[in-house]
């Protein structure tokens, strides 16, 4: 199984600051045939289902603000919120869909200072 | 509006059975692979099971294999999860989710549409 490890567990930042969340996979999730990383990022607010933010490691889902960006390849990935807004308070998860069993990171809780 | 509407769930005793259902609104469910994901109270997301467009390919997490059965009825636009031999550790909110890519060959994927979730509590 591919283990997804996120860091940090929580993040407290001021409004307007840059937030960075890391995700490391225990195996490569880059598919050599199409050169795509099978890695997604989700945002989950209390009492709501997760919302897809990023897929293919760096492609923003339709309607997601451009302050959210994804980067990385192979086994190391990053979700960046360029200027933290109040509505970004949530838990963020990475997920690999390279092969079943699909696995999620443990989550990173983002709060405002 | 494109959405997944869930039903089922509730309180069941250890060893009992429950069935969850998920219906599509605003899109044709039969065109997408589907998945169940659960979240225990205060915990993270855990993938449970996925099913292909035609229903001929299914995957299960080790924790539920042999006890849970995923199925779909494309004629009725519905997805189901039959849960048997329930354990306390199955207590969670269960979400159905749609694969982002509308491709027949896709079984596992990122998930762009999620059901609102239904609570399953296993307790005596």
């Amino acid at each position: 199984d591919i283990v997804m490890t996120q860091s940090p567990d929580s993040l407290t930042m001021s409004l307007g600051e840059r937030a960075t969340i890391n995700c490391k996979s225990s195996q490569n999730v880059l598919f050599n045939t199409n050169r795509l990383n099978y890695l997604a990022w989700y945002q989950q607010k209390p009492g709501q289902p997760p919302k897809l933010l990023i897929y293919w490691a760096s492609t923003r889902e339709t309607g997601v603000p451009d302050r959210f960006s994804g980067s990385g390849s192979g086994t190391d990935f990053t979700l960046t919120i360029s200027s933290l807004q109040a509505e970004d308070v949530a838990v963020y998860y990475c997920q690999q869909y390279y092969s079943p069993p699909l696995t999620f990171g443990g989550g990173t809780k983002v709060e405002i200072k | 509006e494109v959405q997944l509407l869930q039903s089922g769930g509730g309180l069941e005793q250890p060893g009992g059975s429950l069935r969850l259902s998920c219906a599509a609104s605003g899109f044709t469910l039969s065109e997408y692979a589907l998945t169940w994901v659960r979240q225990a109270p205060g915990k993270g997301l855990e993938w449970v099971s996925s099913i292909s467009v035609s229903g001929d390919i299914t995957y299960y997490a080790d924790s539920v294999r042999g006890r849970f059965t995923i199925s779909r009825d494309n004629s009725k636009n519905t997805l189901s999860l039959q849960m048997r031999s329930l354990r306390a550790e199955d207590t969670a909110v269960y979400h159905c989710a749609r694969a982002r890519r509308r491709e027949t060959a896709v079984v596992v994927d990122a998930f762009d549409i999620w059901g609102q979730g239904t609570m399953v509590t296993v307790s005596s």
Side-chain angles (χ1 to χ4, degrees):
Chain A
D1 298 2
I2 300 176
V3 177
M4 308 299 290
T5 303
Q6 280 184 239
S7 63
D9 292 336
S10 64
L11 205 52
T12 304
M13 315 283 292
S14 299
L15 290 172
E17 283 195 305
R18 184 183 191 90
T20 301
I21 300 169
N22 300 301
C23 176
K24 188 174 183 67
S25 58
S26 63
Q27 299 174 35
N28 183 29
V29 298
L30 172 65
F31 194 46
N32 283 327
T33 302
N34 57 18
R35 304 304 296 171
L36 290 172
N37 288 281
Y38 284 55
L39 188 285
W41 289 97
Y42 299 87
Q43 175 193 66
Q44 187 179 31
K45 298 181 179 180
Q48 296 183 19
K51 174 187 175 182
L52 179 63
L53 297 177
I54 303 282
Y55 56 94
W56 299 137
S58 61
T59 303
R60 203 177 297 116
E61 175 72 335
T62 302
V64 172
D66 61 7
R67 63 180 180 275
F68 291 93
S69 63
S71 63
S73 185
T75 61
D76 292 278
F77 301 91
T78 300
L79 175 70
T80 300
I81 310 173
S82 61
S83 177
L84 195 64
Q85 304 300 304
E87 60 266 33
D88 301 335
V89 168
V91 179
Y92 294 83
Y93 296 93
C94 60
Q95 175 228 336
Q96 66 81 16
Y97 50 103
Y98 183 85
S99 67
L102 304 186
T103 45
F104 292 88
T108 296
K109 187 174 186 178
V110 173
E111 297 175 302
I112 302 293
K113 196 181 295 182
Chain B
E1 183 185 359
V2 172
Q3 54 184 342
L4 289 167
L5 304 171
Q6 297 185 227
S7 59
L11 174 64
E12 182 57 69
Q13 294 186 341
S17 299
L18 281 173
R19 187 178 184 88
L20 307 182
S21 296
C22 181
S25 176
F27 72 98
T28 303
L29 188 133
S30 61
E31 295 179 342
Y32 295 86
L34 300 163
T35 286
W36 290 97
V37 173
R38 69 184 181 184
Q39 188 167 29
K43 301 297 184 182
L45 301 169
E46 179 188 15
W47 170 78
V48 174
S49 181
S50 295
I51 189 167
S52 62
V53 167
S54 63
D56 60 341
I57 299 173
T58 57
Y59 296 114
Y60 295 93
D62 287 347
S63 57
V64 307
R65 186 176 294 111
R67 300 187 299 121
F68 290 11
T69 302
I70 190 172
S71 62
R72 64 191 300 161
D73 186 335
N74 286 339
S75 66
K76 295 181 179 178
N77 228 24
T78 59
L79 169 73
S80 296
L81 185 69
Q82 178 67 51
M83 304 184 292
R84 297 184 174 88
S85 302
L86 283 164
R87 305 167 179 167
E89 54 264 36
D90 296 320
T91 295
V93 173
Y94 286 72
H95 295 277
C96 55
R98 186 185 85 170
R100 188 190 63 80
R101 289 172 287 170
R102 192 176 67 182
E103 298 173 20
T104 305
V106 169
V107 184
V108 292
D109 201 2
F111 313 120
D112 65 341
I113 304 296
W114 293 68
Q116 79 278 14
T118 187
M119 186 70 205
V120 170
T121 303
V122 184
S123 174
S124 55

